[in-house]
Amino acid sequence: NYEYYRVFYYAAQCGNLTKAAALLQNSQPNLTRAIKTLEAELGCTLFSRTNRGMKLTPEGERLYRHVKIAVEQLEW
């Protein structure tokens, strides 16, 4: 689902789901659900979550490199 990858891209860019939700004009719980669904579908954890925000895991970094190109081309 493209929307899950789009949410992933903005979450990675912002490092914070609340900021990403504001950019996407969506709610933080919806973004959390999308990320969890994407992680379940891919069978890996994409972010490590801390009290300071979110950081990409090595798997998340690899996915981000691919998703970044696609999202930026589709949205610009």
Side-chain angles (χ1 to χ4, degrees):
N1 183 329
Y2 171 71
E3 191 61 27
Y4 295 156
Y5 290 104
R6 187 169 175 255
V7 167
F8 167 76
Y9 169 80
Y10 279 96
Q13 284 284 331
C14 295
N16 179 301
L17 284 178
T18 302
K19 290 178 187 175
L23 285 174
L24 292 169
Q25 298 178 347
N26 206 324
S27 70
Q28 183 268 330
N30 284 343
L31 269 63
T32 298
R33 202 170 308 116
I35 295 291
K36 287 185 178 190
T37 300
L38 184 60
E39 289 177 330
E41 287 178 2
L42 297 176
C44 64
T45 302
L46 300 171
F47 291 97
S48 57
R49 293 155 178 88
T50 68
N51 58 354
R52 291 184 176 174
M54 301 168 59
K55 184 177 181 213
L56 289 169
T57 62
E59 294 84 1
E61 289 279 355
R62 282 194 296 276
L63 179 62
Y64 179 75
R65 286 193 297 270
H66 296 283
V67 169
K68 179 179 189 284
I69 295 165
V71 171
E72 288 177 358
Q73 286 182 0
L74 290 170
E75 296 203 358
W76 299 108

